[in-house]
Amino acid sequence: MRAQSHISVARSKVREGEITRHTGIKLDGGRVFLVASGLGLPRTWPFALDAVLRGFERGLDEAHEKAGGGRRARADRLVAAADRVRRELADACDTLVERTMPDAAFAAIAMDEGDLHVVSAGPCRVYLHRSGKPQRLTPRDETKEGALHARVTQCTTPLEPGDLVMAGSVTAFSMRSIAQVVTVLQDDPRTEPPILASLLTEPAAQAGVGAAAIVLRIA
């Protein structure tokens, strides 16, 4: 099963400048995606995001190596990577003297043999949009905590051709951004991921709060 994908990121405005609070990356040849959001004080956002991205990539690699270089289910690798994220962020925080520790939320998705696997910790969201109906794949009872203390959740659901998968920061799913995406999809259900991802982050960019969105169309 193939997917067309696009990542859109809008930086956050802080005082007179801009800073990256939300980010997204593509890994494993376009079969794994990660979105993350910094929590806490603005000056700690880049520090926390670096630790999350570093930990997630290392976790994926380590899970592959433990399998002896052979194939290992991406669901297992996501769980291993999520565990490594927490350890990496905790180790990084141990080097600081901040009173308020940096933290970050994240959600990761992976496609494997017709299934979509999702792991998340903290306020990030993943939706599956099928035949005009959205299904939320991350918990509705969002916590304000991130990778350091939030419970890691996971789920798996089958994919079908034509499905849309949308992952992102909470700010990517404002009422305005969702309304824009719904309107565009009603006019053209085959709207490409770059357009949809940009629609999700545009309102947050204009508001200065920043956002990150990943959109996949399954073929």
Side-chain angles (χ1 to χ4, degrees):
M1 187 166 284
R2 297 177 294 106
Q4 181 186 5
S5 64
H6 189 78
I7 300 173
S8 177
V9 175
R11 303 186 76 193
S12 301
K13 294 180 181 178
V14 178
R15 295 181 181 177
E16 300 301 319
E18 293 185 340
I19 190 169
T20 298
R21 182 178 188 179
H22 314 280
T23 191
I25 58 171
K26 176 172 63 175
L27 300 163
D28 216 18
R31 308 291 291 185
V32 177
F33 296 82
L34 174 74
V35 63
S37 296
L39 304 175
L41 299 174
R43 67 173 179 269
T44 69
W45 294 342
F47 179 88
L49 290 178
D50 285 346
V52 168
L53 299 183
R54 184 171 63 249
F56 190 81
E57 291 189 65
R58 288 178 176 175
L60 281 181
D61 292 341
E62 289 168 356
H64 180 70
E65 291 174 2
K66 287 181 180 178
R71 181 185 177 281
R72 179 172 178 173
R74 286 188 173 87
D76 293 339
R77 294 180 66 200
L78 282 191
V79 173
D83 180 65
R84 181 57 192 262
V85 164
R86 178 168 292 174
R87 289 186 284 119
E88 193 80 22
L89 184 54
D91 289 346
C93 288
D94 284 344
T95 67
L96 301 177
V97 292
E98 293 276 353
R99 289 189 175 184
T100 302
M101 284 294 101
D103 203 352
F106 70 90
I109 57 178
M111 297 176 293
D112 188 31
E113 295 188 345
D115 288 329
L116 178 73
H117 306 290
V118 180
V119 298
S120 65
C124 282
R125 299 180 183 177
V126 180
Y127 291 89
L128 174 65
H129 194 277
R130 176 179 296 161
S131 302
K133 297 180 180 180
Q135 175 187 357
R136 185 162 172 170
L137 303 180
T138 47
R140 291 187 175 278
D141 52 339
E142 288 177 342
T143 174
K144 294 182 179 180
E145 297 176 326
L148 285 179
H149 303 292
R151 180 174 63 90
V152 174
T153 65
Q154 63 181 112
C155 75
T156 296
T157 188
L159 289 170
E160 296 179 4
D163 284 349
L164 276 174
V165 179
M166 293 179 282
S169 58
V170 171
T171 51
F173 296 102
S174 65
M175 292 182 64
R176 182 183 168 194
S177 61
I178 292 174
Q180 289 182 159
V181 168
V182 169
T183 299
V184 168
L185 287 175
Q186 287 176 341
D187 292 339
D188 180 9
R190 300 299 301 172
T191 301
E192 299 295 320
I195 296 175
L196 298 174
S198 296
L199 289 174
L200 288 173
T201 59
E202 179 186 12
Q206 293 177 352
V209 296
I214 301 171
V215 178
L216 282 69
R217 181 176 290 283
I218 309 302

